Each structure stands twice: as C-alpha cells, then as structure tokens.
Amino acid sequence: KAPGIVLVFQADPWFDLPETEDKNERDDPASDGYTNFLKAVVDEAKAYPGQVLLVHGDTHFFKLDHPLLDQAHMIENITRLETFGSPNAHWVKVTVDPSYREVFIVQPMIVPGN
C-alpha cells in the first residue's frame, strides 16, 4: 500500500530504444541484456497503483523523465532518474511527499566548481 517505490541500479538499461523508425532494436536479442528486465519492471509497474522511481547511473548525464519502451508508449507511473557522474560530481536530492501527485520530488544539486 506504499504510495511509491524506488528501484536503484547501476547500469543504464537504454530506455530510449528503439532509436530508428523502421527497426525495433529491442527485437534483436543481441542488442542488450535489459529487454527482459525492463519488461518485468513495466509489467509490475502497470499493476502497481503508486509511483515508481528508477534511479541509475552509468552514462554520467543527469536525466529526469518518463521513459519510453518504444516511441508510442509512456508508462505514466514510472519516472527515471539518471544521476550525475564523473566528471560532473554533483548530487541529487529526492524528497518523498505522499501528498504530491508524483510522490518523489527530485532536485539536482549543483556543486560549484565541479
């Protein structure tokens, strides 16, 4: 009955695939090892009434979005947070507020000089 759940992992599972209109890169089993993992996360999230925050690193760019499994389908209760990484040594503050529609309030915290 929790209003939200957080999943944290290191690798970027490439939510952005497919990248081309005429080919779904996720259909190629050699493309990555994340297709089955993402399918399981999406299936569980669709059955979950709360918000899901997926936190990962790996590519070292701050991103906050609602990831796509393909160009036409957004999973509304999943938010992806990709954290900073070298050479951008900053941090991210996440506040949990069950009264907030999205439950998680995410704020990038820029460290001057980094």
Side-chain angles (χ1 to χ4, degrees):
K1 296 182 181 181
I5 188 168
V6 178
L7 300 175
V8 181
F9 43 94
Q10 167 56 32
D12 180 354
W14 300 106
F15 291 106
D16 312 87
L17 289 178
E19 294 181 339
T20 56
E21 291 182 26
D22 60 340
K23 178 182 178 189
N24 186 340
E25 288 86 350
R26 290 232 178 262
D27 290 339
D28 179 2
S31 67
D32 67 55
Y34 300 111
T35 300
N36 291 337
F37 169 74
L38 289 176
K39 181 180 180 331
V41 168
V42 167
D43 289 347
E44 292 293 326
K46 285 180 177 179
Y48 180 63
Q51 294 294 312
V52 179
L53 178 63
L54 302 179
V55 181
H56 71 86
D58 198 18
T59 52
H60 301 214
F61 291 99
F62 175 81
K63 293 179 190 169
L64 183 65
D65 63 5
H66 291 277
L68 302 173
L69 287 181
D70 60 48
Q71 297 299 331
H73 300 94
M74 180 178 74
I75 295 73
E76 293 181 28
N77 68 329
I78 295 179
T79 300
R80 180 257 300 261
L81 166 59
E82 181 175 354
T83 61
F84 295 102
S86 178
N88 297 302
H90 307 292
W91 61 287
V92 179
K93 178 181 178 181
V94 177
T95 303
V96 179
D97 183 350
S99 68
Y100 180 61
R101 180 179 177 266
E102 302 225 356
V103 179
F104 304 104
I105 301 165
V106 178
Q107 298 170 278
M109 305 304 286
I110 306 301
V111 178
N114 283 356

